[in-house]
Amino acid sequence: MTVSPVRRARRTSAVLVLCAGLLLSVPPALALAPVTAQKAAQGEGYRLPSAALQAVVDAPRAPSLSLSPRRDLAAMLQTPPLPSIAQVAAPELKLAGLRINPKTVSDSRFSFGSKLWLISTADGTERQISGLPQPLSVASLAWSPDQKYLAFNQLDPASGANELWLVDVGTASARRVAQGLNSIVGNGYAWLPGGDALLVMQRRAGAGEAPLGDGVPAGPAIQETVAGQGVRSVRTYQDLLKNEDDARLFEYYLQAQPVRVAINGDTTPVGAVGIYLGLSASPDGNYLLSQRVQRPFSYAVPVSRFPRNIEVLDAQGKLVRTVARLPLVDGLPTGNDAVPTGVRSISWRADAPATLVWAEAQDGGDPARDTAIRDAVLMQAAPFEKPPVTLAQLGSRYAGIRWSSGELALLDEFWWKSRQVKQWKIAPDLPEQAPVLLSERSDDDRYSDPGEPVLQLDAAGRSHLQLSADGNSFYRIGAGASAEGDRPFLDKVDLASGKSERLFHSQAPHYEVPLALIDGDNPRVLSYRESNDVPANLFTRGLGADATPQPLTHFAHPLPALRGVNKEQIRYTRNDGVELTGDLLLPPGYDPKKDGPRPLLMWAYPAEFKSAADASQVTGSPHRFNAISYWGPQAFLAKGYVVLSAPSMPIIGEGDAEPNDTYIEQLVASAQAAVDEVVRRGVADRERIAVGGHSYGAFMTANLLAHTDLFKAGIARSGAYNRTLTPFGFQAEERNYWKAQDTYLKMSPFNYADRIKTPILFIHGAEDNNSGTFPMQSERMFAAVKGLGGTARLVMLPNESHGYRARESIMTMLAESEDWLDQWLAAPVKQDKRR
């Protein structure tokens, strides 16, 4: 189980200047002055923002935590500062939807753990590990099922090393056990049951040099389709194969040899060389479930949709049974509930020696078909000679099983169109026993979310439901969404009645998330606990009402100068009665009554809902740590700006109505309500408010500038602006362009570029690999605004993907945003009114 006090790119910061080793405080009010130093024109290279924002980027990050199977130990992994552009610009292959580092034969990654140590979850005692490689560059961690060892992948792009190391937990010492891993797909290693060996994917021996094309084409790249197959939706994908040269290169790098690596480092080949998308051992260790890619490859879809053979092998890698030969999936029926036909979501049953479980669509994978049964869940046990048996028949799509025993498992199903999710209690070994419905709700209804079942690992390393000592109950951990904000909880659920007993509930002024329940004579809960000015730390506590939480870690505020940020979870109402939420953050020392309104940055991301009631629910918590992230708007608190973070932008379509048919109207209404509220509170005036967002938030930003006069500047990062370029659906829109042409056109801000007179800053990674947000989207949108007489700036960050990674890129992103906001919000700006 791996958890971290840091969510995505949450970064804490303070208004600090680092100069000759001295930390100097910068008053936030002074930080509002426009930046004149380092003002860059086109072609002048990377830039640095003001010192206050540099401090945000370089603030130390909290370590991540990986709990041991018995949860009495944890591995702590420290992440270093951001990588340099030299690292990010290293050679990279883009093949079949994958990005590959050819030097390490791994997926392209740039963030690694630079420090590794162990901590006791009983008292917080730390143990240092000897023998670690230097420089340490940890890509992934995995505890052995018996907890005697901790495996990690040492991946060093500088040297090209891709190695497997083991930490002997008893002696706290590390040693290398394997080299030459192939970790392009997955981690490249996994523990075998019992913990005495690992299954490792190694580079193919004797492969020679990578094939090089001579630049002379062997012929055209040809694709073909045949009429009569019906409408098939294919989303827009990046990094696809383009020709046979790409296909040969793909085969060269993806082919791997599975080997069994013993604890002492002895290796034994297992099975044949192949392109494996999955290879996992049965709980008893006697079989392997193999999924290997086969030709023909495709120029239209990524590797996950290539043809594959699903096979059962014995422990030595010899074929036992072919489960399925799946064809190329080059398109699906229309709708987000559409799935491929045939074997899907196959895995080992965790509570049985060697039993396969998978789903198969009963409606042809087409949600438009009218049928009572959508999916069947099938099961087949070793020696795989008898036909599979039906475990369940579902009225919607299979969404996974949590296993316990032959008498108990929890099965989930989900239907995207209605957002309905159900959970059933089933008895896998008693098919005659009727399933019991434990919960049914809308996935949008956060208030009714019962939480996720708590799991624990067995001796084979498989996850099981964690049951009470008497076996009559299981546990759930949930976010605890409520009208007061999120209050995470731990519940004990009676299996017979389904009734829940609350064992723990987060209490103000803290936000506390249970991580695990440790059984025993004195059961205790491990949790992450934080508050507005104190970052998340690991705590342990008993279950009694008077139990005192004991800290196990003591992570300090990364940038104390920004301690004192005032955060309020505000509530306000849209003109149609929908209740909205947002986090209003005020910089330290700012008092709107004495100081008057400040420039304000609003940063948002729209979301779709099927009911106004669900859309009106409160999200987030007023008691979370005020983390100042360089990725979100909070960084500009260090400049003295007021920030409205994550204001609700719900797009609602009740009943049979499609949310996006009224996207513009609802978006504008939500933005108007947010602006009215911050003005009413006296923290902002209407002439100095900017809006921004990333990805779908950038799409939102361009639309708001095209259809309102609410904002005086916009920042749109890595967005999509012309929906005809994503004709088979986008975000939550499941209809294709030809079924909802008016909606696609109306939602595309590109079609209203002539109305964008508010200054807009476009930032985009030049190598964006996100489906739908091709770099061309920002280039064409900027060209349209420019050609139509608007005010815009386009910044294309070299070698960056959908999320920016290099320190130089992040600094430039902030410098450009800072100058843009200072230029257009420093004083009231008169603008053209919409036509």
Side-chain angles (χ1 to χ4, degrees), residues 148 297 310 497 816:
K148 292 181 179 179
F297 303 150
I310 301 178
S497 66
E816 292 286 346

Side-chain angles (χ1 to χ4, degrees), residues 428-478:
D429 289 348
L430 303 171
E432 71 281 358
Q433 186 171 309
V436 176
L437 184 64
L438 288 183
S439 66
E440 180 179 10
R441 65 184 188 89
S442 167
D443 192 50
D444 290 340
D445 182 7
R446 300 180 71 247
Y447 289 0
S448 68
D449 187 351
E452 291 296 312
V454 179
L455 305 177
Q456 62 183 2
L457 298 180
D458 64 9
R462 301 288 173 170
S463 294
H464 289 253
L465 291 172
Q466 182 173 353
L467 302 182
S468 58
D470 59 12
N472 295 327
S473 303
F474 70 99
Y475 302 95
R476 292 186 188 273
I477 291 175

Side-chain angles (χ1 to χ4, degrees), residues 636-677:
F636 290 92
L637 291 164
K639 285 274 296 176
Y641 284 88
V642 173
V643 168
L644 183 61
S645 178
S648 303
M649 295 285 175
I651 311 298
I652 305 164
E654 297 194 307
D656 294 331
E658 292 288 347
N660 283 338
D661 287 349
T662 53
Y663 173 88
I664 297 298
E665 296 86 345
Q666 295 192 62
L667 185 70
V668 169
S670 296
Q672 181 72 63
V675 168
D676 289 346
E677 181 64 16

